[in-house]
């Protein structure tokens, strides 16, 4: 193993080469599109995007905001064969901060949030529309450090109450909002790619879910692969209005297993996978994963930003990870979002460049330049890569934050 360290524009860059390849042992989890934690992540990101687009269109800049502490508190539901109904709403706790005005012009923050919440659930879980209870805790309090003196207010005191967009410090220099880190690696192992794709297939819009309206979206897969065979614990809910009796529920489970076998043969041929489906079912007692909406959020479960899939869409404890909740953060300068996405993409480019495993860690220092991380760690399995090309890829990634912001705001990049 070789190690090269250098400093480029105030960033300490360490590149390790000849690192051991990851073993073929895989342990992973993926939460589907209707899982409460995924719902919280994706809704927080929708709120950030809606606010960003409004302020960008109205004032020419993305004003300060963060919705990354959003939580969903499950409601109550009554489920019967062939029917179901909500008996208590799902609380949508919109926690965060946002500028409510700029230069004396009000911003309809509450209306933007309400519209985004309704549109999101209309698309994702339409049965919940009309059974949502938004709880607003959106302040415009400044961050710590705005010391009160006899002088006029500090710049920091105006972060969430700008007199104009000129009060936004990032209009002049992009600075990191926090001391945090982003982590990325590439490539995904074939079983990791398969698990990601299968959960999307069963929880999103696909030929299978269009043909089987009983298939709910709160899908979850826990998988293990030892290099020869794989095992998966899979949860797939069914929607009660389309399931007339216990026999139909059990027949639908067989359809899911058959679809998993077909999907495996198509996407991971030659690999034996054993599926354990809806392991908590007790059919003789009618204790089944039968839901009204297709998600456990209807009945007491909770969803919180940052508890679900990482930016690459998986939870992989045998791979490098961090605990940042990227969704809902400001797309202009929040390192918990930008560094994780940039590190993941940089690792993929380094894998493409070297043909071998690549791992990237970007570490910020709060208040310092966003494009000059405190530490950049690159770990490569390649024995003798061209260091200059590696450094060039790092420089390209660090110079790309404005484009990354535009992509997040306008093109709807899905995080997790």
């Amino acid at each position: 193993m070789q190690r090269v360290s250098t400093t480029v524009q105030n960033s300490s860059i360490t590149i390790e080469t000849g690192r051991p390849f990851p073993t073929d042992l895989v342990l992973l989890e993926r939460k589907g599109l209707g899982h409460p934690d995924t719902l919280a992540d994706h809704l927080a990101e929708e709120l950030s995007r809606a606010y960003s687009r409004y302020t960008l269109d109205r004032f020419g800049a993305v004003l300060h905001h963060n919705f990354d502490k959003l939580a969903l508190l499950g409601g109550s539901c009554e489920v019967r064969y062939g029917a179901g109904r909500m008996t208590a709403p799902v609380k949508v706790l919109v926690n965060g901060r946002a500028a409510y005005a700029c230069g004396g012009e009000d911003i309809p923050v509450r209306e933007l949030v309400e519209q985004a919440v309704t549109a999101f659930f209309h698309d994702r879980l339409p049965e919940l529309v009309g059974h949502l209870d938004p709880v607003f805790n959106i302040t415009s309090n400044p961050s710590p450090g705005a010391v009160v003196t006899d002088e006029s207010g500090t710049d920091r005191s105006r972060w969430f109450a700008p007199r104009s967009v000129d009060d936004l410090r990032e209009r002049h220099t992009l600075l990191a909002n926090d001391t945090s880190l982003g982590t990325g690696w590439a490539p995904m192992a074939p079983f990791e790619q398969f698990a990601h794709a299968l959960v999307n297939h069963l929880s999103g819009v696909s030929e299978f879910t269009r043909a089987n309206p009983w298939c709910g979206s709160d899908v979850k897969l826990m998988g293990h692969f030892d290099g020869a065979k794989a095992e998966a614990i899979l949860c797939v809910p069914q929607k009660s209005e389309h399931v007339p009796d216990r026999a139909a529920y059990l027949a639908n489970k067989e359809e899911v297993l058959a679809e998993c076998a077909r999907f495996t043969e198509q996407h991971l041929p030659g690999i034996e996978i054993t599926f354990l489906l809806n392991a908590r079912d007790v059919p003789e007692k009618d204790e089944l994963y039968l839901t009204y909406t297709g998600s456990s959020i209807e009945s007491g479960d909770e969803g919180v930003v940052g508890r679900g899939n990482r930016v690459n869409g998986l939870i992989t404890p045998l791979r490098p990870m961090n605990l940042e909740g990227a969704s809902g953060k400001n797309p202009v300068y929040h390192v918990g979002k930008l560094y994780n996405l940039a590190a993941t993409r940089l690792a993929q480019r380094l894998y493409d460049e070297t043909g071998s495993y690549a791992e990237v860690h970007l570490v910020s220092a709060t208040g310092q330049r966003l494009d000059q991380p405190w530490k950049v760690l690159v770990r490569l399995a390649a024995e003798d890569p061209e260091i200059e090309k590696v450094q060039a890829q790092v420089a390209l990634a660090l110079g790309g934050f404005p484009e990354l912001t535009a992509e997040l705001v306008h093109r709807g990049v899905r995080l997790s």
Side-chain angles (χ1 to χ4, degrees), residues 57 84 138 167 191 200-201 239 256 274-275 288 315 331 364 383:
D57 289 345
I138 306 172
D167 277 341
F191 182 64
N200 285 356
H201 179 69
K239 299 175 77 170
V256 172
T274 302
F275 288 94
L288 310 169
I315 301 169
S364 66
E383 293 284 350

Side-chain angles (χ1 to χ4, degrees), residues 136-280:
F136 293 87
N137 184 32
I138 306 172
T139 75
S140 54
N141 299 331
S143 298
V147 180
V148 177
T149 68
D150 292 335
E151 307 297 329
S152 59
T154 66
D155 290 344
R156 186 168 302 191
S157 68
R158 291 189 285 267
W159 282 2
F160 288 89
R163 297 165 298 186
S164 73
V165 294
D166 289 334
D167 277 341
L168 306 178
R169 65 177 187 174
E170 63 271 17
R171 299 273 289 179
H172 311 288
T173 305
L174 279 174
L175 303 179
N177 77 302
D178 196 3
T179 299
S180 188
L181 73 158
T183 298
W185 50 268
M188 281 190 184
F191 182 64
E192 290 166 333
Q193 297 177 36
F194 167 82
H196 192 289
L198 177 61
V199 172
N200 285 356
H201 179 69
L202 294 175
S203 69
V205 177
S206 68
E207 185 177 338
F208 180 78
T209 57
R210 282 193 295 265
N212 297 287
W214 48 261
C215 187
S217 59
D218 191 356
V219 176
K220 177 177 171 179
L221 185 147
M222 185 73 73
H224 175 268
F225 179 63
D226 66 4
K229 66 179 187 302
E231 299 171 276
I233 301 173
L234 182 64
C235 296
V236 180
Q238 295 182 30
K239 299 175 77 170
S240 58
E241 287 189 308
H242 304 281
V243 182
D245 50 38
R246 183 197 298 173
Y249 177 90
L250 296 176
N252 292 341
K253 283 183 67 173
E254 293 303 315
E255 282 203 46
V256 172
L257 290 171
E259 181 67 7
C260 289
R262 186 200 66 80
F263 201 86
T264 301
E265 180 61 30
Q266 179 181 357
H267 294 271
L268 208 61
I271 300 297
E272 175 191 349
I273 302 182
T274 302
F275 288 94
L276 177 59
L277 177 61
N278 295 358
R280 201 164 66 177

Side-chain angles (χ1 to χ4, degrees), residues 119-136:
F120 176 82
F121 280 101
H122 185 273
D123 176 65
R124 195 66 65 89
L125 293 176
E127 296 87 352
L128 278 181
V129 176
H131 303 284
L132 299 168
D133 180 15
V135 179
F136 293 87

Side-chain angles (χ1 to χ4, degrees), residues 339-408:
Y339 275 18
N340 274 290
L341 191 53
T344 298
R345 293 187 173 185
L346 175 55
Q348 182 63 47
R349 288 199 295 269
L350 291 173
Y351 164 70
D352 294 339
E353 180 83 36
T354 66
S356 294
Y357 174 77
E359 182 182 308
V360 174
H361 303 270
L362 305 177
V363 189
S364 66
T366 186
Q368 304 306 301
R369 284 184 51 152
L370 184 73
D371 60 353
Q372 296 179 9
W374 177 57
K375 300 290 181 184
V376 178
L377 277 63
V378 175
R379 310 173 86 188
L380 304 172
E383 293 284 350
D384 191 25
E386 295 186 46
I387 297 299
E388 292 79 9
K389 288 186 176 181
V390 174
Q391 292 174 327
Q393 289 289 0
V394 171
L396 182 65
L398 297 182
F401 290 116
E403 291 78 11
L404 201 56
T405 296
E407 189 175 346
L408 286 161

